[in-house]
Amino acid sequence: MRFTSEQHLEDGVLEREFTLGEIPGILWTPASATASAPVPLILVSPPPVGLRRAYPRLVGRALHSAACGYATAAIELPGNGDRPRRPAVAQALADLRRAMGAGEPVSDGIIDALILPLVDEAVPEWQTTLDALLSLPEIGGPVGYSGGVISIGTRLAVVEPRISAAVLFAGSFIPRAMFEEARRVTVPLHVLLQWDDEGNDRQAALDLFDAFGSKEKSLHANMGGHTGVPQYEGDAAARFFDRHLK
């Protein structure tokens, strides 16, 4: 992990950009984080729009988490930002937009081509990043995960034993294969669903929630579109992480 820049934000929060091989990312640590008092970590997965575009939302969540005593990290998803484009996924995205523009159902083939390669690439990158972050003296466990694409969070919760709890954002297309993986998820879950999320399948999100094998799981559904998550849901997510990471 190589840090490429740093700046101090409000309340002494340290923001550092880093690269890990070809993976760019950002780490935020509260002023309380020291080698003698390492803090828990929350992995924040951005939407697939690029770190720069998502930065205002990510930094807001990071500052909120820092106020609660957590470090936060985000990485650029494969094919996003300045990372090399993936032609097959670009074609799937074009097919998705064509189907939606024509008012046609989005086929399983389009969803699989769009989401599954992203999951296959992003999850190992998150695990590599987690290795590097936990080697820093000011960061300890436990570790939480927060964000979408929900299939990435589902896979990571299955294969990564260091994830103790997860906040998942239901708002992306879900391949059928993920429902079987969801049955193997056992960590506590806090799932957010926007009831009027345009272009996404509400019933699929409800079915995925039902499939999760976790003994503790809660679904927070709010009226509104994709970007209309109420601000108070951040407080609810913080309380969830406090129960499981402290």
Side-chain angles (χ1 to χ4, degrees):
M1 176 174 283
R2 182 172 67 91
F3 290 107
T4 57
S5 70
E6 68 174 54
Q7 63 173 329
H8 283 90
L9 308 180
E10 59 188 71
D11 298 322
V13 175
L14 178 62
E15 177 185 280
R16 287 176 285 179
E17 297 188 7
F18 64 83
T19 58
L20 185 62
E22 298 179 354
I23 309 168
I26 309 174
L27 172 64
W28 296 270
T29 49
S32 60
T34 64
S36 59
V39 297
L41 173 66
I42 298 175
L43 307 177
V44 178
S45 184
V49 298
L51 272 180
R52 294 302 168 199
R53 184 175 170 188
Y55 176 83
R57 282 180 281 172
L58 295 174
V59 71
R61 291 163 62 188
L63 291 172
H64 191 278
S65 295
C68 298
Y70 302 110
T72 304
I75 60 173
E76 189 77 86
L77 293 176
N80 282 258
D82 295 328
R83 301 191 67 180
R85 293 297 180 261
R86 298 140 72 234
V89 175
Q91 181 59 55
L93 183 59
D95 293 341
L96 171 69
R97 289 171 175 164
R98 179 198 56 77
M100 293 180 67
E104 300 172 355
V106 180
S107 70
D108 289 343
I110 293 175
I111 294 173
D112 288 354
L114 183 66
I115 302 296
L116 290 178
L118 179 62
V119 174
D120 290 342
E121 293 180 45
V123 168
E125 291 187 351
W126 266 124
Q127 292 181 290
T128 299
T129 303
L130 185 55
D131 290 340
L133 292 170
L134 290 179
S135 71
L136 299 174
E138 68 272 24
I139 296 178
V143 179
Y145 173 91
S146 176
V149 174
I150 197 169
S151 294
I152 293 176
T154 300
R155 171 76 60 80
L156 196 58
V158 171
V159 303
E160 180 47 72
R162 292 172 292 185
I163 300 293
S164 298
V167 173
L168 302 179
F169 291 73
S172 52
F173 291 98
I174 306 167
R176 291 187 181 275
M178 297 311 301
F179 289 87
E180 184 57 39
E181 294 196 34
R183 295 182 178 92
R184 297 163 51 201
V185 174
T186 59
V187 299
L189 296 178
H190 178 104
V191 181
L192 297 173
L193 170 65
Q194 286 301 101
W195 201 250
D196 306 304
D197 196 342
E198 57 277 10
N200 285 306
D201 189 335
R202 178 198 303 162
Q203 190 58 53
L206 294 172
D207 291 343
L208 184 68
F209 178 80
D210 188 50
F212 283 126
S214 303
K215 291 182 179 179
E216 180 188 332
K217 57 182 180 179
S218 62
L219 177 67
H220 288 224
N222 292 280
M223 305 305 293
H226 187 75
T227 60
V229 179
Q231 187 172 358
Y232 56 74
E233 283 293 356
D235 296 328
R239 291 192 297 271
F240 169 80
F241 279 132
D242 283 346
R243 290 199 304 274
H244 297 291
L245 302 186
K246 287 186 176 178

